[in-house]
Amino acid sequence: MKRQPLLFAASAVLAIAAVAGFQLITSSPAYCQAPPKAQTSQTKQTSQTKKSFRDDVVPIFKGRCEGCHQPGGEGAQKSGLDLTTYAGVMKGTKFGPMVIPGDPESSNLMLLLDWRASAELRMPHGKRQLSSCDRNDIRAWIREGAKDN
């Protein structure tokens, strides 16, 4: 009978360790990368692929953000943020800029997407948080200068 609480405690510790380990693995850049393509003599892959606004960031915004942050959308009306164009992203909100090129950790966009803001400001409102892979793609794009590429 005395073993039961010990087994329960050991099971709880193992479950917590498994969840923590999964979080570490799934938030790593290696987990988020697509499988490598076959290389030919003309192409060489670099270990660090530059992020493209058009190819990497826009699909995330279209899938998770534009429903509210488009002209006439609730998010655009409340904040002034239009995520349908590069100009709209860089213009920011009526409260200030959302992206500081080269500095994702100071960018308000990442503050909201990483859920480092108060619960009522976290994005997207009332929905699950963007995956760590999506957030890391946006973060990398900002770090690389937030170019319109």
Side-chain angles (χ1 to χ4, degrees):
M1 284 293 175
K2 292 182 181 182
R3 284 185 171 174
Q4 194 169 13
L6 184 59
L7 286 173
F8 178 75
S11 297
V13 168
L14 285 174
I16 291 169
V19 169
F22 182 73
Q23 277 296 99
L24 288 173
I25 291 169
T26 58
S27 64
S28 76
Y31 176 82
C32 298
Q33 291 176 349
K37 296 177 185 173
Q39 291 185 0
T40 65
S41 58
Q42 282 94 15
T43 63
K44 291 184 180 179
Q45 289 185 321
T46 60
S47 61
Q48 190 73 2
T49 306
K50 294 279 185 185
K51 294 298 174 188
S52 162
F53 178 73
R54 202 166 300 115
D55 295 337
D56 298 308
V57 177
V58 167
I60 298 167
F61 287 167
K62 281 190 182 296
R64 296 295 304 277
C65 310
E66 280 186 13
C68 292
H69 291 282
Q70 63 180 319
E74 183 181 351
Q77 289 177 349
K78 287 182 178 179
S79 69
L81 181 61
D82 175 7
L83 295 177
T84 62
T85 66
Y86 176 80
V89 173
M90 298 312 288
K91 179 183 172 191
T93 71
K94 57 187 171 188
F95 306 107
M98 290 300 290
V99 173
I100 300 171
D103 190 0
E105 298 313 312
S106 296
S107 293
N108 286 325
L109 181 61
M110 293 314 306
L111 177 84
L112 299 173
L113 294 177
D114 285 339
W115 287 17
R116 291 182 283 137
S118 61
E120 62 272 3
L121 296 176
R122 294 174 181 164
M123 291 292 146
H125 281 306
K127 297 180 181 165
R128 65 182 170 82
Q129 186 179 29
L130 268 65
S131 72
S132 59
C133 295
D134 286 348
R135 288 181 286 126
N136 286 340
D137 282 349
I138 296 169
R139 189 182 334 277
W141 170 73
I142 294 170
R143 186 178 302 111
E144 294 166 3
K147 295 184 172 93
D148 185 10
N149 54 359

